[in-house]
Amino acid sequence: MTNQLLLIDGVLRQDATKWIYQSGEPLEVIPLYLGTRWEELQELGPILVALDAWSPLLGAIQHDNALQSQASLISTQAPSTTVAEHLSQFISITDDLGSQSLLRFADPLVTWHWLASYPEQAYKSLLGPISQWNVAVRPPNWAPSTPWEWRAFRPQPDSPTLAHPLSHMTQSQVEALDQAHRWRFKERLYDWLDHDFPNTLRPLAEDARGRWLEQRIQDAETWGLVSERSIAIWLERCAYWGSDFATRPDSPYQEWLRRKPVAQQLPPELRIQALDDDCLTS
């Protein structure tokens, strides 16, 4: 018999436990941080929910985009406790540099990037008792509107065992998680620009907005900016003064440099933040 399990990200659905119990269904709920040193944060961690075959949540995860962005669907022949024990191996992960961090593998965006970074031969070890892990792949908010698609990850028979522990990530996984982080950062920037500076993106064709956003981020990084705050300041100046504000001779930025010559000696991060501080007080 195949069991269906919902894996919810407690950060994205912060009322998850209350919401589940309010459904009135006799559901088994397993917060994966339970029994770990992060137990006090169990409602913000990954939460595994065993669903009955007639559970309305099965229909909800198939059709509700909001829920699909917060949870994924796992099929298994094993008991839910066995799946929970297997998934708990991914809570704390290391990389090739020896860094240790928490992996938000219940966040569907992270799940998709993370699992897709492995070759298919790795899924037998990676998925363990899971027979299929279904993740809804959503289009980013800066891209043309397209339907959501389901991506199914399945173990491949006769695959070799992974050469490293499941809790260790190689460079491919690190890069995949960086891509997921950049995706989410770009979405936050897009929402902010669309709300505060609607004349910046909305006049562009739908398929050109993502390119404009990515190019501005790349410009900021080429200029030497690395922090999210500084990149956001750069985009704000682009919205106010134009995409070429840093190089155009008659831009307010060049006028500011003439008034504050000492700013030219500052590294890019400090310079853009000093510019922002002056803009806020002027």
Side-chain angles (χ1 to χ4, degrees), residues 70-91:
Q70 302 160 347
S72 55
L73 185 63
I74 289 174
S75 301
T76 181
Q77 304 288 326
S80 55
T81 51
T82 301
V83 175
E85 183 179 357
H86 178 76
L87 291 176
S88 294
Q89 298 177 84
F90 302 117
I91 291 175

Side-chain angles (χ1 to χ4, degrees), residues 3-10 13 15-21 23 25-32 45-52 55 57-58 61 67 70-76 79-81 83-84 87 106:
N3 302 315
Q4 301 294 335
L5 310 173
L6 203 62
L7 182 63
I8 305 173
D9 183 276
R13 184 96 194 201
D15 65 339
T17 303
K18 179 181 178 181
W19 169 70
I20 292 165
Y21 286 123
S23 70
E25 298 182 55
L27 301 172
E28 181 184 13
V29 180
I30 308 175
L32 297 187
I47 300 171
L48 196 64
V49 183
L51 304 178
D52 290 326
S55 172
L57 292 179
L58 278 175
I61 190 63
L67 184 56
Q70 302 160 347
S72 55
L73 185 63
I74 289 174
S75 301
T76 181
S80 55
T81 51
V83 175
L87 291 176

Side-chain angles (χ1 to χ4, degrees), residues 42-267:
Q42 61 182 277
E43 293 195 357
L44 296 178
I47 300 171
L48 196 64
V49 183
L51 304 178
D52 290 326
W54 57 86
S55 172
L57 292 179
L58 278 175
I61 190 63
Q62 295 292 337
H63 304 291
D64 185 344
N65 287 162
L67 184 56
Q68 290 169 358
S69 69
Q70 302 160 347
S72 55
L73 185 63
I74 289 174
S75 301
T76 181
Q77 304 288 326
S80 55
T81 51
T82 301
V83 175
E85 183 179 357
H86 178 76
L87 291 176
S88 294
Q89 298 177 84
F90 302 117
I91 291 175
S92 180
I93 54 171
T94 59
D95 59 27
D96 290 341
L97 298 177
S99 300
Q100 189 172 30
S101 59
L102 291 176
L103 174 62
R104 283 184 54 199
F105 57 86
D107 176 347
L109 183 64
V110 173
T111 308
W112 168 41
H113 281 86
W114 169 57
L115 292 178
S117 70
Y118 288 91
E120 289 188 353
Q121 294 81 357
Y123 293 150
K124 185 174 182 180
S125 293
L126 202 64
L127 301 184
I130 297 171
S131 53
Q132 186 162 301
W133 193 338
N134 297 289
V135 184
V137 176
R138 60 185 178 86
N141 59 359
W142 68 81
S145 300
T146 55
W148 291 50
E149 296 181 0
W150 283 95
R151 175 76 186 273
F153 298 92
R154 307 180 187 89
Q156 302 298 310
D158 304 320
S159 295
T161 302
L162 281 177
H164 53 77
L166 296 181
S167 59
H168 182 79
M169 296 191 307
T170 66
Q171 188 60 28
S172 295
Q173 284 74 64
V174 172
E175 291 174 357
L177 295 183
D178 286 344
Q179 291 171 7
H181 175 79
R182 188 180 183 90
W183 178 305
R184 185 142 282 150
F185 177 47
K186 284 176 65 176
E187 288 201 317
R188 295 200 308 272
L189 288 174
Y190 185 91
D191 284 340
W192 165 63
L193 286 169
D194 188 56
H195 182 270
D196 288 7
F197 304 97
N199 293 330
T200 298
L201 291 172
R202 292 183 193 176
L204 301 176
E206 194 177 25
D207 61 354
R209 296 171 188 173
R211 292 196 299 272
W212 184 94
L213 180 60
E214 179 62 31
Q215 186 58 61
R216 300 294 78 75
I217 295 173
Q218 289 182 14
D219 290 345
E221 292 171 338
T222 300
W223 204 69
L225 304 182
V226 293
S227 71
E228 292 188 358
R229 178 195 170 191
S230 294
I231 292 172
I233 293 170
W234 179 276
L235 264 71
E236 184 178 47
R237 291 303 104 198
C238 287
Y240 276 125
W241 296 339
S243 301
D244 60 347
F245 79 88
T247 56
R248 196 175 70 250
D250 63 343
S251 77
Y253 169 70
Q254 297 296 338
E255 173 59 26
W256 176 75
L257 285 180
R258 286 189 285 271
R259 288 188 289 107
K260 297 282 186 76
V262 68
Q264 299 187 49
Q265 309 306 316
L266 295 174

